[in-house]
Amino acid sequence: MEFGYHHSSFATHDDRSPAAALVDRAQRLEDDGFEWLSLMDHLWQLPFHGHRDEAFVECYSGLSAVAAVTDEITLSALVTCVHYRNPVYLAKVVSSLDALSEGRAVLGIGAGWYEDEYDAMDMEFPPADERIRQLRDAIQLCETVWTEDSPASYDGEYYDVDDLYLNPKPDDIPVLVGGGGEQLTLRLTAEYADWWNLPGVTPEEYDHKLSVLREHCENAGRDYDEIETTVTIPTIIRDDTDAAHEVYEDLLEETDEDTTPRDEFRGLIGTPAEVAAGIEEYQALDVDRFQIGVPKNDPETIDRFVDDVMGEF
């Protein structure tokens, strides 16, 4: 099982700029054995991670900066909103990231959900079924212009491209679909995804989603084992369980939403042994990549995860 880091906050805990801290942290994560780094594709910080007026680096700009200073770590959005960029332009952006990183880009993409950002950009927010159809169309377009000789063309339900010159061509950019909608998203995952991600769910919930995904794969004639499964879980580590929860509460007080109550699933919040035991539950479900999301990039949690948890796997 590989480990990843979801960079959901640009909190620095020192006097570095958020962008400089991102680059430094990415280098450190690669050196420590993390194999995947993702950034959120949003205009501002989400309410359950912080405040809208926080510094927040655009996703593909940040990933490009990371690509320039790392050698091996895989890079993706988690996940690109299908509507924030024309999909032809998105294909160019991701193929450029792949070229800059020498083949380390993943197209992490989803159907969009944060309606406040749509309103801020004066964009239409279509119904869920239409957003999923647009997502399917965008994935097909990207794969077409990445693989067809230039000039490439595509005629889709929502998106078209005529005589597009896209060079250099990437060798193979995996498509990661994010989300757990059982009727639409997981069916699309079965049809088109190379990777699949679901954040913030218990092992039991994740196991249920896997069973739904297997069924969709069977219906689509797709080999379920071709899809690499990933999960992203909030993580805080301290020597004492109560202390870990107190840190979680203190960090998440600095957000625009209430923290998850202690009697509900918050993620892996506890001692190194408890966090390792939690990861083992996902490992037992044959998760290919386990990704931690550390609230506010809590430095002690990152240190303790590297020193006291990763070596167990």
Side-chain angles (χ1 to χ4, degrees):
M1 184 170 61
E2 297 180 0
F3 287 105
Y5 189 93
H6 182 46
H7 201 281
S8 59
S9 171
F10 289 92
T12 63
H13 304 280
D14 54 36
D15 59 359
R16 290 174 299 173
S17 72
L22 164 65
V23 169
D24 292 345
R25 189 172 295 113
Q27 291 176 303
R28 179 258 168 98
L29 293 167
E30 180 175 73
D31 290 343
D32 285 332
F34 286 87
E35 300 189 56
W36 173 31
L37 174 74
S38 62
L39 298 182
M40 296 195 300
D41 187 32
H42 288 287
L43 299 181
W44 57 67
Q45 182 57 274
L46 298 181
F48 40 84
H49 290 304
H51 302 296
R52 292 187 179 190
D53 59 358
E54 292 179 19
F56 198 82
V57 176
E58 190 275 327
C59 177
Y60 284 101
S61 302
L63 291 172
S64 296
V66 170
V69 298
T70 56
D71 298 309
E72 297 180 355
I73 198 165
T74 300
L75 305 170
S76 78
L78 197 65
V79 287
T80 308
C81 175
V82 68
H83 299 112
Y84 289 0
R85 299 163 192 83
N86 179 290
V88 181
Y89 182 68
L90 176 64
K92 182 62 178 177
V93 168
V94 178
S95 66
S96 296
L97 175 64
D98 195 63
L100 288 167
S101 65
E102 299 184 331
R104 291 182 282 134
V106 172
L107 172 59
I109 193 165
W113 62 273
Y114 194 22
E115 195 167 357
D116 285 359
E117 288 183 335
Y118 283 75
D119 291 342
M121 291 186 282
D122 195 26
M123 291 175 58
E124 179 185 358
F125 185 67
D129 60 339
E130 184 175 353
R131 298 201 310 275
I132 291 291
R133 291 196 301 272
Q134 290 168 333
L135 174 59
R136 177 182 285 107
D137 210 7
I139 292 171
Q140 290 176 321
L141 184 152
C142 287
E143 292 186 328
T144 297
V145 301
W146 286 338
T147 55
E148 276 193 7
D149 291 339
S150 296
S153 298
Y154 173 80
D155 182 14
E157 181 181 359
Y158 294 94
Y159 307 118
D160 300 325
V161 59
D162 295 312
D163 295 336
L164 174 73
Y165 286 82
L166 188 148
N167 295 304
K169 297 288 185 184
D171 288 333
D172 182 21
I173 297 178
V175 174
L176 178 157
V177 172
E182 296 184 8
Q183 298 303 315
L184 300 175
T185 302
L186 291 180
R187 183 173 65 191
L188 182 142
T189 300
E191 294 169 345
Y192 293 100
D194 302 296
W195 295 23
W196 170 65
N197 180 266
L198 190 63
V201 292
T202 66
E204 293 76 18
E205 291 168 325
Y206 194 79
D207 190 29
H208 169 70
K209 298 293 185 181
L210 288 175
S211 67
V212 175
L213 179 58
R214 285 190 187 93
E215 184 175 347
H216 281 303
C217 285
E218 202 171 297
N219 293 336
R222 175 82 185 277
D223 183 355
Y224 166 82
D225 291 328
E226 291 179 356
I227 301 173
E228 299 194 26
T229 54
T230 73
V231 65
T232 304
I233 302 296
T235 305
I236 289 289
I237 301 175
R238 289 297 186 271
D239 286 327
D240 176 80
T241 305
D242 286 337
H245 280 282
E246 288 169 7
V247 169
Y248 174 91
E249 290 159 2
D250 288 343
L251 291 170
L252 273 298
E253 272 185 357
E254 302 173 25
T255 65
D256 289 330
E257 286 193 356
D258 294 335
T259 57
T260 303
R262 284 200 192 191
D263 60 354
E264 298 180 14
F265 182 71
R266 290 176 159 181
L268 299 184
I269 315 297
T271 66
E274 289 169 334
V275 170
I279 294 173
E280 287 175 354
E281 293 189 55
Y282 295 96
Q283 186 179 42
L285 301 175
D286 294 326
V287 169
D288 294 300
R289 290 178 180 84
F290 183 90
Q291 189 180 48
I292 61 171
V294 179
K296 303 290 183 179
N297 298 308
D298 175 57
E300 183 173 342
T301 292
I302 299 173
D303 291 342
R304 299 297 298 274
F305 190 83
V306 170
D307 295 339
D308 302 332
V309 177
M310 286 181 73
E312 300 297 313
F313 298 89

